[in-house]
Amino acid sequence: MKTIEDNDFEVPESLDKVLREYQKRGFLWIKTLNYNGFGGILADDMGLGKTLQVITFLWSEFQESAPGENRRALVITPASLVFNWMNEIERFAPGLPATVVTGDVKERKALIKNAGEREILITSYDLLKRDLKAYQNLDFAVQIIDEAQYIKNHGTQVAKAVKEIRSEFRLALTGTPVENRLSELWSIFDFLMPGFLYSYEKFRKEIELPAVQYSNSDAMERLQKMIRPFVLRETEEGMC
């Protein structure tokens, strides 16, 4: 992960002059995660273009895949952002076959059932929860969750639903990975790479309680070292 810029990944030609340098590095980071079989959290201040970086990644994967190769992707977002994602795809990667999963139950089931192997499905957290059974026969190459704080409580139906989708590569987008408790971070990583931060019981015993209740700096440092390669934080000043 320290040699992100030493690989052969290339920004799609149509977007090369659109992306800023930090956005290109974010794109390369996402490609590197995917290539190595990891998941990750892309965290940024508002307005720094994490949606564009993801669309660039999806467009790159689409262009590099062969016909018939599964590059199906699922984007899960708050209801208020569903059509924003569609608009951004149409603006920056109009060649991507993307579908907003809307309508009544029958219409949504048909859209999900007929999804192509290189199609991008965009849905909301609430609709995913309702339509979960319809997704059980689909395999996704990519699964993106936007505003990942929606799954900060690992016991909710929404958190359980996103984790039931069969997907090879998972990416979480958020403004702040942790708002209040370390358990929120654990829940996101339980989606990204189940087991990486142990079971919640072990995580709570070995990291959360020592770090929070007893101000154990060793436990916090241990956590930071574990997650550092898989969290990219972007600010107006740069990346960290």
Side-chain angles (χ1 to χ4, degrees):
M1 297 305 297
K2 292 181 179 179
T3 58
I4 289 173
E5 296 182 5
D6 295 336
N7 53 50
D8 296 326
F9 304 129
E10 294 184 0
V11 175
E13 185 177 353
S14 62
L15 292 172
D16 186 53
K17 294 183 179 180
V18 177
L19 270 64
R20 298 178 180 179
E21 285 305 312
Y22 76 86
Q23 292 172 329
K24 290 180 181 179
R25 291 193 295 271
F27 160 77
L28 292 174
W29 178 77
I30 297 171
K31 290 284 285 189
T32 304
L33 282 177
N34 182 40
Y35 180 79
N36 288 290
F38 300 123
I41 299 174
L42 178 60
D44 69 8
D45 292 341
M46 291 296 292
L48 293 185
K50 58 181 180 291
T51 302
L52 176 56
Q53 292 169 63
V54 172
I55 291 172
T56 305
F57 165 72
L58 294 174
W59 185 222
S60 168
E61 291 291 297
F62 179 84
Q63 290 183 316
E64 294 171 4
S65 63
E69 186 178 355
N70 183 18
R71 279 296 180 269
R72 186 185 294 120
L74 179 62
V75 177
I76 307 160
T77 181
S80 61
L81 297 178
V82 166
F83 287 98
N84 178 69
W85 270 89
M86 189 65 186
N87 292 337
E88 294 289 280
I89 288 174
E90 291 175 343
R91 177 184 176 189
F92 293 110
L96 266 180
T99 301
V100 173
V101 181
T102 56
D104 60 29
V105 175
K106 186 177 180 180
E107 290 171 327
R108 297 199 307 271
K109 284 185 177 180
L111 291 172
I112 297 167
K113 181 180 179 181
N114 298 320
E117 291 186 329
R118 301 206 293 167
E119 189 168 354
I120 314 298
L121 296 183
I122 308 168
T123 191
S124 68
Y125 286 99
D126 185 56
L127 289 181
L128 176 76
K129 191 171 57 176
R130 298 188 206 176
D131 300 334
L132 190 57
K133 287 186 179 180
Y135 286 99
Q136 289 180 347
N137 295 322
L138 289 182
D139 292 305
F140 290 91
V142 178
Q143 183 182 2
I144 309 291
I145 61 169
D146 197 1
E147 302 293 342
Q149 63 270 21
Y150 271 68
I151 68 163
K152 64 183 181 181
N153 185 338
H154 61 269
T156 62
Q157 287 185 312
V158 166
K160 292 176 180 177
V162 300
K163 296 171 186 180
E164 285 192 32
I165 298 295
R166 294 201 304 270
S167 51
E168 296 177 17
F169 172 64
R170 293 176 169 184
L171 185 70
L173 312 181
T174 183
T176 57
V178 180
E179 291 184 340
N180 298 303
R181 296 178 294 181
L182 291 183
S183 60
E184 299 172 9
L185 184 67
W186 181 89
S187 183
I188 295 175
F189 267 93
D190 188 46
F191 160 74
L192 295 172
M193 298 183 286
F196 178 70
L197 291 184
Y198 320 119
S199 66
Y200 180 60
E201 290 73 19
K202 182 175 181 179
F203 175 81
R204 179 173 170 79
K205 178 181 178 181
E206 296 188 9
I207 296 178
E208 185 178 18
L209 288 179
V212 178
Q213 287 194 0
Y214 308 116
S215 300
N216 186 318
S217 59
D218 289 341
M220 199 64 193
E221 184 177 347
R222 174 185 174 189
L223 175 61
Q224 290 171 343
K225 284 183 177 180
M226 290 180 72
I227 69 171
R228 187 174 293 126
F230 312 112
V231 179
L232 183 64
R233 178 79 176 165
E234 298 176 331
T235 67
E236 291 184 354
E237 287 73 37
M239 305 170 70
C240 54

